[in-house]
Amino acid sequence: MSNDSDAVDRLFDQSPPTLGVTEVAERLGVSTKSVYSWLREGLIPGYKIGTTWFVIRDELKDTLRKGANAHASGSTAPVVLIRPGATQGD
């Protein structure tokens, strides 16, 4: 497992299998507005039932891993920097 994978796993440690927009925003350190935008644009995987979005934790982790270096190639995918050893709120 690479360092990126380890960092992504730590980021979502103890998270439930499905996450709401608020939980995703808190984990990634962004606003809920950003998460809603990414969901609508299809940049992160999610499912909408009625007016409620939810995200499958492992699908989001896979997306983050795949997009780890995508920004350098001109992608508009969200970029999340994860410091090894960082805890939520650092």
Side-chain angles (χ1 to χ4, degrees):
M1 190 179 279
S2 71
N3 287 338
D4 287 339
S5 295
D6 292 341
V8 171
D9 284 336
R10 281 194 307 271
L11 184 65
F12 290 95
D13 187 38
Q14 299 181 15
S15 292
T18 58
L19 305 166
V21 170
T22 300
E23 294 164 303
V24 172
E26 288 172 357
R27 290 290 179 192
L28 300 181
V30 298
S31 70
T32 56
K33 183 177 178 181
S34 292
V35 175
Y36 280 118
S37 176
W38 294 341
L39 286 164
R40 282 191 305 272
E41 294 172 15
L43 297 176
I44 60 174
Y47 303 88
K48 188 175 184 182
I49 299 176
T51 60
T52 303
W53 283 96
F54 69 93
V55 175
I56 305 291
R57 177 197 60 214
D58 293 341
E59 290 180 4
L60 179 57
K61 286 167 56 173
D62 289 345
T63 298
L64 291 172
R65 287 182 182 117
K66 289 176 187 172
N69 294 318
H71 189 66
S73 66
S75 170
T76 59
V79 175
V80 178
L81 301 177
I82 304 169
R83 296 187 317 252
T87 58
Q88 190 173 351
D90 278 355

